[in-house]
Amino acid sequence: DDDDDDDEPCVLIHSTPFSQILGTIQYCAPEVMRCCRGLQASYDYVCDVYSLGMTFAVMLTWCIPYSTTETSFTDVDDAVADDICNARFCSEFSKKANETLSPMAIDFLSRLLALNPSDRISLEEALDHDFLNPGRPC
């Protein structure tokens, strides 16, 4: 019976590293930009955790962390590319985040936006983070 399959979550794990550059510059992970610049051979699905963090960052601050209006990876100037490769956010974003976000929100974003992919929380850990579960009993 095909209805039994509906009870199981659909999880796609992509274990093959990517080398093609896809995505929106303002939301791209440092490793994607490093790959684009020829500084890294490939990247994997963990870049999506970073992009999720960027989405949350924009939603929570109404500010894009990187100051660029470019839409093509090849058109990004070296300064912005260097900022992305090193996860250096523009001062407007940093100021707004520090002034408006709770310590729990800052912790959540910092774990999603870790520079090193191996330091980022998993999606499962993100879903379990206190920021997404306010008032949860200890």
Side-chain angles (χ1 to χ4, degrees):
D1 182 47
D2 288 337
D3 291 336
D4 292 337
D5 293 337
D6 293 339
D7 296 335
E8 295 297 319
C10 179
V11 178
L12 174 64
I13 303 294
H14 199 306
S15 60
T16 305
F18 303 111
S19 59
Q20 185 178 9
I21 308 303
L22 300 170
T24 303
I25 294 167
Q26 291 88 346
Y27 294 79
C28 87
E31 62 270 23
V32 175
M33 183 57 74
R34 287 192 296 267
C35 188
C36 177
R37 295 294 194 186
L39 304 172
Q40 184 171 322
S42 63
Y43 59 95
D44 62 18
Y45 66 92
V46 179
C47 69
D48 293 334
V49 173
Y50 190 91
S51 296
L52 177 65
M54 293 299 278
T55 302
F56 270 105
V58 172
M59 289 171 48
L60 293 170
T61 65
W62 288 72
C63 183
I64 295 177
Y66 299 126
S67 56
T68 183
T69 57
E70 298 297 341
T71 57
S72 168
F73 279 87
T74 56
D75 293 337
V76 174
D77 66 42
D78 289 339
V80 172
D82 190 53
D83 286 346
I84 294 172
C85 287
N86 294 292
R88 272 193 312 267
F89 305 127
C90 68
S91 59
E92 178 188 358
F93 169 77
S94 297
K95 181 179 183 222
K96 198 162 188 182
N98 287 326
E99 289 176 354
T100 62
L101 299 182
S102 69
M104 192 182 310
I106 291 171
D107 180 71
F108 181 61
L109 287 178
S110 68
R111 291 171 187 256
L112 290 168
L113 298 173
L115 176 62
N116 186 335
S118 64
D119 293 338
R120 286 184 206 137
I121 60 174
S122 68
L123 291 177
E124 293 81 11
E125 292 168 324
L127 288 171
D128 195 45
H129 193 279
D130 289 340
F131 178 73
L132 295 181
N133 298 284
R136 174 180 53 187
C138 297

